[in-house]
Amino acid sequence: MSEKSGIVILGIFAADTAYKAKRLPHIAETLMGSGFTLGPGGKGSNQAIAAAKAGGKVTFISRVGNDPFGEMALAAYAAAGVKANVMKMEGVSTGAAFIFVDEVSGDNAIIVAPGAAGLIGIDDVDANRTEIENAAIFMTQLEQPLEAAIHGLSMAKTAGATTIFNPAPARAIPDSIYGLCDFIVPNEVEAAEMVGHPIETDEQARAAASTLLDRGARAVIITLGARGAFYHSTGQSEFVPAFSAGNVIDTTGAGDAFLGAFATAISEGCAPVEAVRFGCATAAIAVTRPGTAPAMPSRADINALLRSS
């Protein structure tokens, strides 16, 4: 049996400033909003908290500033049980995000300024080599610089860890990155940008996943919002439907909830499709709660939804 254990996640923290309104304002227009929240966010950070609350043993690698938002980050990791390998920097602010949340549908639009985490580089990965090489799972995204993500995936893959890559936000990536991915997990918008065609039907999702598999990924998962998720690998393709856990309030953290829970399930030895199902249940609960990291459900909540469904 492998001695590798735990989940290492490389990514950013950003303080989420979330505004609810009926629509986004036009240039030079001011709108009255219906709500505001401030809390911990950032894709990698959200995924780390989601994984820990789902039962995973998690280490998070990042940078924050020596400021109140940085203290917010460290407090969030302590509360969730995440091991924070986080550099605190002087003279650079912690990242922050503007989040618009549609007050009717819960749909969102986001602008992220990574701040200190935008300075994450290869040195941060090298400083955590022991953690990465001993991990069962390594996961990263694209809010921090691309070269750090590639270096982390390469290090983890060479060491025999299972690698999960969330290519978000979408940007141009080299073809060489696909071969480093045991699982590549875009949402439908990101996948559409990667393959150059819309993903509005099951057939389009299947075609996109096949394209990403052909580029070298071992398995592809496309998250499809209210439609659930599509898993595709050599010899297995399956649509996993979404769960319903109540009224949708805020979809901002849904993808991160899915990824954190999926990583936890894979780290525990679950089959990939069952891990996708676990991730879908986790995301379904998260969207019934406001915010991102604060919306992540506990393992007990996830298991209860799975039992009831």
Side-chain angles (χ1 to χ4, degrees):
M1 179 179 293
S2 172
E3 295 181 358
K4 292 181 178 296
S5 65
I7 302 162
V8 173
I9 298 175
L10 171 70
I12 82 162
F13 171 87
D16 283 347
T17 64
Y19 304 80
K20 275 194 171 184
K22 59 186 178 181
R23 60 173 174 81
L24 282 165
H26 302 300
I27 297 298
E29 178 186 23
T30 299
L31 286 180
M32 296 301 293
S34 59
F36 171 80
T37 58
L38 170 66
K43 286 186 182 298
S45 182
N46 292 339
Q47 291 164 16
I49 290 172
K53 293 186 73 173
K57 178 185 174 184
V58 183
T59 298
F60 181 56
I61 303 167
S62 192
R63 297 190 185 199
V64 298
N66 186 12
D67 54 28
F69 285 170
E71 294 303 321
M72 177 195 295
L74 298 177
Y77 305 140
V82 173
K83 181 181 179 183
N85 286 11
V86 175
M87 180 188 297
K88 186 184 288 187
M89 302 184 68
E90 298 289 345
V92 184
S93 64
T94 301
F98 159 80
I99 303 174
F100 161 73
V101 180
D102 186 294
E103 62 189 19
V104 176
S105 69
D107 289 340
N108 64 85
I110 304 171
I111 300 172
V112 177
L119 301 174
I120 291 171
I122 288 172
D123 288 350
D124 296 271
V125 177
D126 287 339
N128 289 276
R129 179 178 293 274
T130 299
E131 297 269 12
I132 293 169
E133 291 183 340
N134 290 326
I137 308 290
F138 175 80
M139 180 160 65
T140 193
Q141 328 73 29
L142 287 175
E143 286 186 331
Q144 78 286 322
L146 174 62
E147 58 268 24
I150 293 173
H151 192 55
L153 288 166
S154 178
M155 181 184 292
K157 187 73 170 174
T158 299
T162 295
T163 55
I164 303 172
F165 178 46
N166 173 215
R171 68 165 84 170
I173 56 176
D175 287 344
S176 60
I177 203 168
Y178 292 96
L180 301 175
C181 303
D182 289 310
F183 299 97
I184 188 167
V185 191
N187 67 20
E188 55 196 325
V189 174
E190 293 147 2
E193 187 164 333
M194 294 169 79
V195 301
H197 64 74
I199 300 176
E200 299 168 351
T201 66
D202 289 354
E203 291 74 16
Q204 289 171 334
R206 192 181 301 276
S210 294
T211 296
L212 299 181
L213 200 71
D214 289 344
R215 291 179 185 174
R218 183 179 170 195
V220 180
I221 302 163
I222 300 177
T223 56
L224 300 168
R227 291 189 288 153
F230 177 58
Y231 173 81
H232 183 61
S233 65
T234 302
Q236 186 176 17
S237 294
E238 187 166 338
F239 284 91
V240 177
F243 289 77
S244 176
N247 292 331
V248 174
I249 293 175
D250 185 350
T251 63
T252 311
D256 297 332
F258 175 93
L259 278 149
F262 174 78
T264 292
I266 291 294
S267 76
E268 294 176 355
C270 280
V273 170
E274 283 306 304
V276 171
R277 187 168 183 268
F278 187 77
C280 285
T282 305
I285 299 169
V287 300
T288 67
R289 303 170 176 179
T292 52
M296 302 307 173
S298 68
R299 181 64 170 260
D301 291 338
I302 301 164
N303 286 342
L305 179 59
L306 288 166
R307 286 194 299 269
S308 69
S309 301

